[in-house]
Amino acid sequence: MRPGTLHVVRPDRQGPTAPTPAGGDRGDLAVMAMLFGVNLVPLVGEVVARGRWGAGTLGLATAGALVTGRELVLGARAVLRRRR
């Protein structure tokens, strides 16, 4: 079976787009908060008990915490801005 042919369509000629879910932003924030918390576990564990976590784990957790923390802050600002 041969797939259909793709056509380039100008944005103003596209059909209606799907509506965004009502609680989508809050759900995204919840996922980001969960990932942020998971990334904090090795960092807090290292502060409490030195030497329990490897350098690679701590580096990955730090990078994950920085990225998810940034996205969490940006997402929270967007939600608060829309409320006004």
Side-chain angles (χ1 to χ4, degrees), residues 20-31 79 82:
T20 56
D25 292 339
R26 289 188 181 141
D28 291 346
L29 283 177
V31 170
V79 167
R82 268 188 232 118

Side-chain angles (χ1 to χ4, degrees), residues 40-54 58:
L40 285 181
V41 169
L43 299 175
V44 172
E46 183 65 19
V47 169
V48 172
R50 289 231 170 276
R52 303 269 180 172
W53 298 90
L58 290 174

Side-chain angles (χ1 to χ4, degrees), residues 14-78:
Q14 289 180 348
T17 58
T20 56
D25 292 339
R26 289 188 181 141
D28 291 346
L29 283 177
V31 170
M32 280 298 130
M34 181 198 65
L35 289 172
F36 184 69
V38 167
N39 284 310
L40 285 181
V41 169
L43 299 175
V44 172
E46 183 65 19
V47 169
V48 172
R50 289 231 170 276
R52 303 269 180 172
W53 298 90
T57 303
L58 290 174
L60 186 61
T62 302
L66 289 172
V67 170
T68 56
R70 177 182 178 269
E71 290 299 317
L72 190 60
V73 168
L74 291 175
R77 281 184 186 167

